[in-house]
Amino acid sequence: MCFSSSMANDCSQSNSNVLCLGISNGEDLKETLTNCTEPLKAIDQFQMENGILLPTLQSALPFLDLHGTPRLEFHQSVFDELREKLMERVAIIAEGKDEDRYGKLEELLEKSFPLVKMPSIQPVVMQVLKHLPKVPEKKLKMVMADKELYKVCAVEVKRQIWQDNQALFGDEVSPLLKQYIVEKEAALFSSDLSILHNFFSPSPKTRRQGEVVLKLTHMIGKNVKLYDMVLQFLRTLFLRTRNVHYCTLRAELLMSLHDLDISEICSVDPCHKFTWCLDACIREKFVDGKRARELQGFLDGVKKGQEQVLGDLSMILCDPFACNTLVLSIMRNLQELLSQEALPRDSPDLMLLLRMLSLGQGAWDMIDSQVFKEPRLVLTRFLPAMMSVVVDDHTFTVEQKLPSEEKSSLSYPTTLPDAFNRYLQENRVACEMGLYYILHIAKLRNKNALQRLLPALVETYNDMAFGDIFLHLLTGHLTLLSDEFGSEEFCSVVFDGFLLTSFSSKENVHRHTLRMLLHLHHKVLPSYMENLMKTLELPKQCSEPVKELYTQLTEKLEAQKKSPPPADETPSMDLGLHPVTVPTTTVTPTQPL
């Protein structure tokens, strides 16, 4: 079998292209044998003309025949070796400094492209396409029109196709964006229930190693046009769904490109330095004074005529990880003000944190209305009300540590200031601060404060208290008060006074409640738990995860009934020994006590 026929043998569809290149194929051999008078001589002649044109090789071929090595096998091995060498050579040419290197590759592309459908030649063609910074338009259209070719071509070639075909790029990106949202939402319903390992535990660097972020980063490469397309997809989806996880992806994508030092993109994104500084704050879970001044500089540096940048900055600040860092910093700042007996309005750091939180919380409204203006802070009445609640809790905590004779007879307050309740219902920023303050007092295991505040969450701005992020954090924080679930009063506040007020209309609340009970059911009074299970019975229509959680909880309760845990009682010290007379003689110890 000749060299050229071994090359052409794997793709009969390419016969016409092979003929156009002046290469003989199986049909030519068939015709030759049909019309010749001496078949053996015709075969020798065909092999001579189409074999490897190397005179010194001709005398060696008979030895291969003697060893029973088929000519096809020999030619195929040589062909494979030559193909690998050629592909290596293409990469060397592309990475070299020859001014005409791309001209050479284009010339090679013209010669090899007619054989692109042949599996044996296709890798060479794809290698040439991959290393051309600008593939000829005609060739790009041919690749795009053929699904098989498009599927196997390198991402470097696809980028050139995508940048002029937004719909096709959208089709490629869409499944990744869906996967990202599914993963984020699954993390909020994780079976783990802990204050130490929650949704916000992974560092920014770890999160950027996620599959979706890495794939998107690779698809974009250094192409600014593709980066802008992805940002537009994220803005559109954020507007359509109000899902804040798209804001997280917007920040993660930019910082992933920053990690790879893709200056072509980072240098043109006006949010880059702001996001970089904020990323450091998120890593530390705190905005210190120095970084606060840097962030303020970026916000104040938005020039007239460039207000649209505020839209992207607001999206980055709307990222739950950024929001979490800002509100934790606000809580810390309020505690410091309390210890210094200072007023909130006297703290520039607090005002900046509130400004950024307000900008992030107003992201959707800003992008939707296209009015790029920072929202005005309207917390002058809320902050005093919040500080009065903070002072109440702090005073009670300090008083509990005093000797009994120094304690006052005042009972812990059970009501909240009207302004506090009203702002929880009417203002997004105030509501966010109120929710995080509840997490703060739960972390301090302040049962009294928790019982005072939880009922106020039944009515909050846009039902924020029943959102997945807050419920995920609250259920984790409540594990710190697990022993309190043995009190019917405490259970009544947590379940009857808050969670059960909306679980029937909000499946996510039902699901979070079951998640928590899976961990704390053994702490709840059996009589209360029995009534709770009746209330939490599955409705006719519910999702599989809720069914699964309810089944798991039922099985755990059944197992608990069959083998109840031993009572947590202090063991008796009575060893049943008879009393004996102890001598009253004083004994001097031989060693110091």
Side-chain angles (χ1 to χ4, degrees):
M1 178 70 75
C2 67
F3 179 62
S4 62
S5 61
S6 70
M7 181 182 71
N9 192 47
D10 61 355
C11 190
S12 59
Q13 294 179 352
S14 299
N15 279 343
S16 58
N17 290 331
V18 170
L19 289 172
C20 290
L21 293 173
I23 300 174
S24 300
N25 61 15
E27 290 297 321
D28 292 322
L29 179 59
K30 181 180 178 182
E31 187 178 342
T32 300
L33 292 174
T34 303
N35 299 323
C36 71
T37 53
E38 297 183 52
L40 292 178
K41 284 186 178 181
I43 290 171
D44 286 338
Q45 182 65 28
F46 192 88
Q47 287 180 329
M48 185 70 68
E49 292 173 355
N50 296 288
I52 299 174
L53 303 177
L54 193 64
T56 54
L57 186 65
Q58 299 303 317
S59 57
L61 288 175
F63 285 103
L64 292 175
D65 297 338
L66 290 173
H67 286 285
T69 303
R71 293 286 176 92
L72 173 61
E73 185 180 319
F74 166 70
H75 282 93
Q76 191 64 54
S77 66
V78 173
F79 179 82
D80 291 343
E81 185 70 22
L82 288 173
R83 181 180 58 204
E84 293 306 313
K85 293 288 184 185
L86 180 57
M87 289 174 68
E88 288 174 15
R89 183 64 183 153
V90 167
I92 291 170
I93 292 172
E95 292 165 8
K97 295 182 179 180
D98 186 354
E99 290 183 4
D100 192 36
R101 61 187 183 279
Y102 296 128
K104 291 177 181 177
L105 293 182
E106 285 182 12
E107 186 180 345
L108 179 58
L109 181 65
E110 284 299 322
K111 290 179 178 179
S112 60
F113 198 82
L115 304 177
V116 71
K117 298 287 284 183
M118 293 176 60
S120 56
I121 296 292
Q122 194 177 81
V124 177
V125 184
M126 290 304 168
Q127 180 81 333
V128 177
L129 288 170
K130 174 183 174 180
H131 285 94
L132 275 175
K134 187 167 177 59
V135 176
E137 188 69 25
K138 186 179 177 182
K139 300 291 190 295
L140 275 182
K141 287 182 178 178
M142 291 171 72
V143 171
M144 187 172 68
D146 191 308
K147 288 183 179 179
E148 292 301 317
L149 286 182
Y150 174 78
K151 188 177 179 181
V152 297
C153 73
V155 71
E156 289 83 356
V157 182
K158 288 180 179 177
R159 286 187 199 126
Q160 297 184 48
I161 294 172
W162 292 333
Q163 68 177 9
D164 296 317
N165 196 319
Q166 186 170 344
L168 185 60
F169 185 52
D171 291 341
E172 292 274 355
V173 168
S174 183
L176 291 174
L177 301 185
K178 287 178 183 174
Q179 180 186 338
Y180 184 85
I181 298 300
V182 168
E183 288 173 358
K184 287 292 181 191
E185 291 177 347
L188 289 171
F189 289 104
S190 164
S191 57
D192 291 334
L193 211 67
S194 166
I195 192 172
L196 297 175
H197 303 288
N198 59 40
F199 181 74
F200 294 110
S201 296
S203 69
K205 195 96 171 182
T206 302
R207 287 188 282 116
R208 293 198 287 274
Q209 300 307 308
E211 180 186 5
V212 172
V213 177
L214 291 178
K215 279 186 177 179
L216 283 173
T217 305
H218 183 55
M219 288 169 74
I220 291 168
K222 299 179 180 181
N223 195 307
V224 177
K225 198 171 180 181
L226 294 181
Y227 177 68
D228 285 339
M229 280 189 204
V230 174
L231 295 192
Q232 191 54 48
F233 294 152
L234 294 176
R235 290 187 201 103
T236 303
L237 288 166
F238 176 52
L239 280 178
R240 190 181 300 164
T241 64
R242 288 182 181 262
N243 194 318
V244 291
H245 299 311
Y246 290 116
C247 301
T248 306
L249 183 54
R250 194 262 184 259
E252 285 181 351
L253 189 57
L254 174 54
M255 289 310 300
S256 176
L257 292 162
H258 167 87
D259 292 342
L260 295 171
D261 199 21
I262 309 293
S263 58
E264 291 85 349
I265 291 174
C266 294
S267 61
V268 297
D269 190 330
C271 301
H272 171 234
K273 289 184 178 178
F274 182 89
T275 309
W276 184 11
C277 183
L278 187 61
D279 186 75
C281 298
I282 294 171
R283 186 178 65 242
E284 303 296 330
K285 290 185 169 57
F286 179 64
V287 183
D288 60 35
K290 182 184 175 184
R291 290 200 176 107
R293 288 188 290 276
E294 285 183 48
L295 292 168
Q296 183 174 3
F298 295 131
L299 288 177
D300 294 340
V302 176
K303 298 175 183 176
K304 194 172 182 180
Q306 297 179 337
E307 290 87 355
Q308 199 164 351
V309 173
L310 283 174
D312 270 346
L313 289 177
S314 70
M315 245 186 114
I316 286 163
L317 288 167
C318 188
D319 164 23
F321 289 86
C323 181
N324 178 65
T325 303
L326 291 173
V327 191
L328 288 176
S329 301
I330 288 171
M331 292 300 115
R332 188 163 162 181
N333 199 287
L334 290 177
Q335 298 298 316
E336 289 175 358
L337 289 173
L338 186 65
S339 64
Q340 297 164 7
E341 297 185 5
L343 295 173
R345 64 170 177 261
D346 296 331
S347 170
D349 284 353
L350 177 62
M351 290 300 110
L352 173 64
L353 291 168
L354 290 171
R355 178 186 173 189
M356 290 194 290
L357 182 62
S358 181
L359 184 57
Q361 292 294 308
W364 190 91
D365 295 320
M366 183 183 293
I367 298 170
D368 182 53
S369 65
Q370 292 291 292
V371 177
F372 301 104
K373 187 178 179 182
E374 283 193 50
R376 188 167 60 91
L377 283 175
V378 288
L379 298 172
T380 50
R381 295 193 65 187
F382 172 72
L383 283 174
M386 175 134 188
M387 285 303 287
S388 73
V389 175
V390 175
V391 169
D392 286 342
D393 295 334
H394 182 72
T395 304
F396 184 80
T397 303
V398 170
E399 191 170 331
Q400 294 304 301
K401 297 176 182 178
L402 295 174
S404 56
E405 63 272 10
E406 295 182 27
K407 290 182 180 178
S408 67
S409 57
L410 293 174
S411 60
Y412 189 83
T414 56
T415 58
L416 292 165
D418 291 338
F420 186 85
N421 283 327
R422 189 171 70 255
Y423 272 88
L424 283 186
Q425 298 170 24
E426 297 175 0
N427 187 278
R428 190 195 309 263
V429 177
C431 185
E432 192 74 19
M433 290 171 64
L435 296 180
Y436 267 79
Y437 183 64
I438 287 170
L439 296 176
H440 172 71
I441 53 114
K443 192 174 181 180
L444 297 177
R445 295 178 172 86
N446 191 333
K447 181 186 74 169
N448 293 290
L450 201 60
Q451 290 181 167
R452 179 190 184 193
L453 285 160
L454 273 179
L457 301 189
V458 175
E459 292 184 37
T460 52
Y461 183 90
N462 205 26
D463 275 348
M464 287 171 65
F466 296 114
D468 289 329
I469 292 176
F470 176 69
L471 289 177
H472 168 89
L473 294 174
L474 179 66
T475 50
H477 280 63
L478 286 175
T479 58
L480 297 173
L481 292 139
S482 58
D483 290 337
E484 301 296 341
F485 282 87
S487 159
E488 189 167 341
E489 181 190 6
F490 186 77
C491 284
S492 182
V493 171
V494 174
F495 295 106
D496 301 328
F498 174 51
L499 291 172
L500 299 186
T501 60
S502 70
F503 87 99
S504 58
S505 59
K506 297 180 184 296
E507 187 178 84
N508 71 309
V509 181
H510 196 163
R511 192 171 170 185
H512 282 292
T513 305
L514 291 170
R515 281 178 63 244
M516 186 170 70
L517 286 171
L518 269 173
H519 288 263
L520 300 174
H521 64 89
H522 60 287
K523 297 286 187 178
V524 181
L525 285 172
S527 57
Y528 190 89
M529 191 69 210
E530 190 176 338
N531 292 329
L532 201 53
M533 287 302 288
K534 289 177 182 176
T535 308
L536 292 170
E537 279 184 354
L538 299 175
K540 290 181 180 178
Q541 292 184 337
C542 67
S543 65
E544 282 303 317
V546 174
K547 288 180 183 176
E548 189 177 333
L549 285 170
Y550 187 82
T551 303
Q552 287 178 23
L553 182 56
T554 305
E555 290 172 354
K556 280 199 171 189
L557 291 171
E558 288 298 323
Q560 185 179 319
K561 284 179 185 177
K562 291 176 182 176
S563 54
D568 295 334
E569 295 179 1
T570 305
S572 171
M573 298 303 290
D574 182 9
L575 302 178
L577 301 176
H578 297 290
V580 294
T581 305
V582 180
T584 57
T585 309
T586 304
V587 179
T588 305
T590 56
Q591 293 182 359
L593 295 175

